[in-house]
Amino acid sequence: MCGIFGIIYLGNKQIGKIALEGIRRLEYRGYDSCGIVVHKNGELYLRKDSGKIQEIQDKLKFDELIGNIALAHTRWATHGAPIKKNSHPHLDCKNEIAVVHNGIIENFISLKKELLSKGHVFQSDTDTEIIPHLIEEYIKEGIDFKNSVIKTLKRCKGAYGIVICYSKEPNSIIVARKESPIIIGLDKGKVSYCASDIPALLPYTRDFYILGDNELAILRPGDVSIVNFKNEPIEITKPLKHIDWSIDAAEKGGYEHFMLKEIFEEPNALRRTLKISENELKMFAKELMDAENIYITAAGTSYYASLAGKYIITKFLGKYIQEIECSELENQLLDSLKNNSVIIAVSQSGETIDLIEAIRWARKAQKNIKILSLTNVVGSSITRYSDLTIITQAGPEIGVAATKTYTTQVLSLGLIGLQIARERNVLPKEEIDSYYDALKSSPDIIEDFLKKTNHSIEKLVDNLEKNANYFFLARGISIATAKEGGLKLKEVACRFIEGYSAANAKHGPIALVREGFPIIFIAPPDESYERLVGNIMEFKARGGHIISVVVESDEIISDLSDTVIRIPQPANKYYNLFSPITFIPALQLLAYHSALAHGLDPDQPLNLAKTVTVH
Ligand code: G6P
């Protein structure tokens, strides 16, 4: 939530251009307003406004700003409407201290009152603005810049990734973190960068320092020193983390939108994820086999990946796995969490605050609990709270709606399930091999599907868009697919389209069905197929327009359907188990084209942000 970027050079440069590029690469984190402040020869120059980055650049020409320091911000509003005065950066009374911030200062009201009583004048409704004023207050008392920042942060409750500069200290910027991510990159002796996410720094480096909670870094051109500001500020030596993402993966590369590009990247993302080491899978499998209680928790799309993954793992583990939305984990387990439990935490960003808080709570509640996490981001917060982590190999995902990170999550959970099957010898070896073969074929199936079908999905959208409502219905493991399909439409096409259990749809949703009402059935030929046929008949009898997503050779449901989307995969139980991976691109494309049909930008859905670091 909110993207921040900071840079410090040895001498004056056309630094606005670099800062602009930095926040452009973070625009998926928030896009209701933006701003850049530059330091040049003892003065701060601020430009900011509400709107998308390109609109503001056209008006304010960020790229023309010259200086040796720049702080930049792209905002997802929390405190204060998305209007110019609330855009970041924020300054102190004397225009000497500038701050960009990602997170929430929870006690800002009392701090603001205190500062107002001391004569400070505020320009915005934000929580952030108290920070430069508080620093100003300490500097007034004769405390140096670094210690003024430390004193200020010690008084701030809540979460922050923050970058600060002071015009009277033009050779350094200060960066600090509590809960909201910050990474740092260096070009030794020349320039230092910091940002709230990896894509912003990919043009400059693949080696990063990842700031921990309560850590503060002083960036000088091409140099950094890091301290923990909660304790005595003793310098910390941190290892660099290498991240193997290509810069092309964070560019549109000829596609009209990141979302479409990322759907088409799914086959290769899955191929990379298939290479997760056996050793990692074995460690995960062992913990799950030893556990008495197992929970799987996540938010948004990762939650639906967890629903699908839970089905797959349970099949081979022979133990129930309880799925819980991470924001509800504490409420639900408050009186029942046992010591020998395992929590599988799934998050593409590894930064979702509700998830981080849930696993932190669980750790505190029960000492021997094990946290196993699945994330796409090396060094993300979740990895710090986990006993074991598997990194999915989706690469950077810039479109706000998760696509390739979803399929790689389900595939990773599938690999864990199959590892368990191997170790428990639950099936003859040939059967387990057949499941492996099916899982390994998922990239080819999707590739084949994408080659053939993009166009027919566009046509289907033309038809569907004439209707105010429709459903995705399914049974068994495909309920996860239906729910994720519904979520994609809400996110990118602003359509209130629900994914629902086909059986449960009789208990309410069927009341909406009239002649021509479309219902999309997700129908791999698994054990729930025949019952799904029954559900289709119920909806047909009421005039429903039946659209089905089926396998290539399907006959029964296809014959009952008005429109059919075929997924080019064999009709057997091995492939059915991994249909949450192979069937979802059809629904992702549907959501994408539906967004275009509504004139919406699928990469930047209204009111959303990719990484949700506030409660
Ligand atoms: C936000 C994003 C979703 C994502 C969810 C969970 O709502 O817009 O795309 O699924 O957060 O994010 P995570 O990074 O934890 O998977």
Side-chain angles (χ1 to χ4, degrees):
M1 229 145 230
C2 298
I4 60 182
F5 180 84
I7 176 170
I8 177 161
Y9 264 106
L10 216 44
N12 289 337
K13 291 260 171 338
Q14 206 172 342
I15 206 164
K17 206 170 168 187
I18 302 165
L20 171 66
E21 178 63 11
I23 49 170
R24 269 194 179 134
R25 290 175 169 276
L26 296 172
E27 201 171 11
Y28 58 86
R29 294 180 66 91
Y31 31 85
D32 55 41
S33 49
C34 71
I36 296 180
V37 68
V38 159
H39 167 268
K40 185 182 157 203
N41 305 337
E43 298 284 336
L44 297 182
Y45 298 87
L46 174 67
R47 296 183 186 176
K48 62 181 187 176
D49 209 340
S50 62
K52 298 255 171 104
I53 294 177
Q54 188 56 46
E55 290 160 20
I56 306 171
Q57 155 63 15
D58 291 345
K59 230 172 24 188
L60 302 182
K61 306 278 178 243
F62 290 131
D63 58 344
E64 290 171 359
L65 285 163
I66 291 176
N68 75 316
I69 293 173
L71 312 187
H73 188 274
T74 181
R75 182 169 187 246
W76 186 90
T78 58
H79 293 54
I83 50 177
K84 180 176 175 178
K85 69 170 183 174
N86 293 328
S87 333
H88 296 220
H90 291 285
L91 305 179
D92 67 322
C93 295
K94 297 190 203 148
N95 293 351
E96 289 175 347
I97 300 157
V99 170
V100 288
H101 167 221
N102 166 30
I104 288 180
I105 306 301
E106 287 163 2
N107 57 336
F108 84 101
I109 293 178
S110 58
L111 291 172
K112 191 167 178 175
K113 265 191 195 151
E114 176 188 318
L115 288 160
L116 283 168
S117 73
K118 289 184 175 157
H120 287 260
V121 178
F122 284 78
Q123 311 292 337
S124 79
D125 309 320
T126 64
D127 51 337
T128 303
E129 201 186 348
I130 60 113
I131 299 171
H133 289 279
L134 210 47
I135 298 171
E136 177 188 2
E137 199 56 34
Y138 287 121
I139 287 181
K140 230 190 269 167
E141 288 173 18
I143 302 167
D144 66 21
F145 178 37
K146 175 177 135 193
N147 283 302
S148 296
V149 172
I150 291 177
K151 274 186 170 289
T152 297
L153 295 182
K154 281 187 169 169
R155 296 195 61 198
C156 292
K157 289 197 183 125
Y160 44 82
I162 194 169
V163 193
I164 310 160
C165 71
Y166 177 33
S167 59
K168 296 197 170 154
E169 297 254 345
N171 300 319
S172 64
I173 55 181
I174 293 184
V175 194
R177 166 196 172 138
K178 189 169 163 260
E179 288 174 12
S180 302
I182 288 278
I183 56 163
I184 293 166
L186 303 181
D187 184 353
K188 278 236 162 85
K190 292 184 190 152
V191 48
S192 296
Y193 311 88
C194 59
S196 44
D197 213 346
I198 297 162
L201 301 196
L202 283 179
Y204 314 109
T205 182
R206 302 286 134 80
D207 296 305
F208 306 99
Y209 294 105
I210 296 173
L211 217 54
D213 279 344
N214 300 311
E215 287 178 1
L216 173 145
I218 300 171
L219 300 189
R220 295 186 195 83
D223 176 46
V224 61
S225 53
I226 301 174
V227 297
N228 182 313
F229 64 81
K230 222 174 164 191
N231 314 318
E232 269 307 289
I234 300 165
E235 202 162 322
I236 305 169
T237 318
K238 254 185 188 292
L240 277 170
K241 287 244 182 216
H242 182 76
I243 290 163
D244 226 359
W245 285 358
S246 90
I247 188 162
D248 300 348
E251 310 275 0
K252 273 194 201 148
Y255 284 83
E256 203 180 330
H257 295 100
F258 279 110
M259 184 178 178
L260 188 64
K261 174 175 178 255
E262 287 158 2
I263 293 170
F264 275 81
E265 280 173 349
E266 285 181 275
N268 282 337
L270 290 167
R271 285 182 188 114
R272 286 194 300 270
T273 306
L274 277 167
K275 293 186 187 139
I276 289 172
S277 78
E278 195 178 327
N279 197 28
E280 286 175 287
L281 295 172
K282 274 189 170 157
M283 291 198 289
F284 260 63
K286 182 176 181 328
E287 294 298 348
L288 293 174
M289 289 187 301
D290 290 349
E292 260 177 49
N293 301 292
I294 305 172
Y295 306 96
I296 188 160
T297 190
T301 288
S302 298
Y303 180 68
Y304 296 137
S306 306
L307 278 189
K310 150 210 159 122
Y311 263 91
I312 302 170
I313 297 178
T314 305
K315 182 173 179 62
F316 302 115
L317 185 61
K319 281 185 221 173
Y320 186 69
I321 299 177
Q322 172 70 54
E323 77 277 6
I324 307 180
E325 285 172 21
C326 56
S327 51
E328 288 301 314
L329 189 107
E330 181 177 345
N331 290 339
Q332 290 201 26
L333 299 185
L334 194 56
D335 302 311
S336 62
L337 184 66
K338 304 236 166 45
N339 233 338
N340 47 2
S341 303
V342 166
I343 298 181
I344 310 172
V346 183
S347 170
Q348 79 80 19
S349 63
E351 301 291 349
T352 297
I353 192 75
D354 286 342
L355 183 61
I356 303 295
E357 294 218 326
I359 58 180
R360 274 209 305 237
W361 167 80
R363 255 230 191 293
K364 227 170 165 186
Q366 289 292 358
K367 260 204 224 116
N368 292 330
I369 202 146
K370 289 272 163 53
I371 311 285
L372 314 186
S373 65
L374 209 62
T375 180
N376 193 41
V377 183
V378 173
S380 55
S381 297
I382 200 176
T383 61
R384 275 203 298 277
Y385 299 108
S386 304
D387 297 283
L388 296 174
T389 300
I390 284 182
I391 305 289
T392 56
Q393 300 295 325
E397 189 179 66
I398 310 295
V400 167
T403 53
K404 60 178 177 168
T405 54
Y406 174 81
T407 39
T408 51
Q409 284 168 344
V410 182
L411 182 128
S412 308
L413 293 165
L415 285 171
I416 294 165
L418 289 179
Q419 186 64 36
I420 292 169
R422 251 187 200 161
E423 303 204 3
R424 291 188 67 232
N425 284 319
V426 280
L427 293 169
K429 184 180 172 305
E430 307 74 67
E431 282 225 40
I432 298 177
D433 287 348
S434 299
Y435 278 113
Y436 265 110
D437 290 344
L439 185 59
K440 281 189 210 143
S441 309
S442 56
D444 298 343
I445 295 166
I446 295 177
E447 202 158 70
D448 199 14
F449 169 79
L450 290 173
K451 258 187 227 147
K452 292 179 187 157
T453 325
N454 196 10
H455 191 58
S456 57
I457 301 266
E458 267 182 82
K459 277 217 235 127
L460 175 62
V461 166
D462 286 347
N463 197 10
L464 283 173
E465 290 307 312
K466 293 177 195 126
N467 298 278
N469 302 305
Y470 55 94
F471 300 135
F472 293 109
L473 298 185
R475 299 183 76 114
I477 195 170
S478 299
I479 293 176
T481 312
K483 287 190 177 292
E484 173 57 10
L487 180 64
K488 284 287 96 63
L489 270 151
K490 288 188 195 81
E491 285 178 314
V492 302
C494 278
R495 304 288 319 265
F496 191 79
I497 305 299
E498 278 289 56
Y500 220 82
S501 137
N504 215 20
K506 285 195 292 293
H507 303 284
I510 201 166
L512 274 73
V513 177
R514 303 283 182 280
E515 193 61 41
F517 183 99
I519 308 116
I520 304 182
F521 285 91
I522 319 299
D526 59 16
E527 49 291 336
S528 62
Y529 187 86
E530 280 178 13
R531 292 225 159 142
L532 192 69
V533 171
N535 299 133
I536 292 175
M537 297 309 288
E538 291 154 10
F539 281 84
K540 248 183 119 59
R542 287 160 181 81
H545 177 89
I546 309 297
I547 299 155
S548 57
V549 189
V550 295
V551 297
E552 194 82 61
S553 60
D554 185 275
E555 286 179 2
I556 301 172
I557 288 187
S558 332
D559 284 349
L560 296 174
S561 306
D562 300 289
T563 309
V564 180
I565 301 171
R566 292 191 184 271
I567 309 299
Q569 70 179 49
N572 67 46
K573 64 176 181 186
Y574 308 113
Y575 287 83
N576 290 340
L577 189 64
F578 304 114
S579 61
I581 305 170
T582 49
F583 276 43
I584 198 68
L587 310 193
Q588 294 168 342
L589 279 178
L590 189 78
Y592 172 77
H593 289 296
S594 182
L596 299 190
H598 282 264
L600 295 167
D601 178 354
D603 284 345
Q604 295 183 348
L606 266 165
N607 303 332
L608 296 185
K610 191 155 186 72
T611 309
V612 179
T613 50
V614 295
H615 300 283

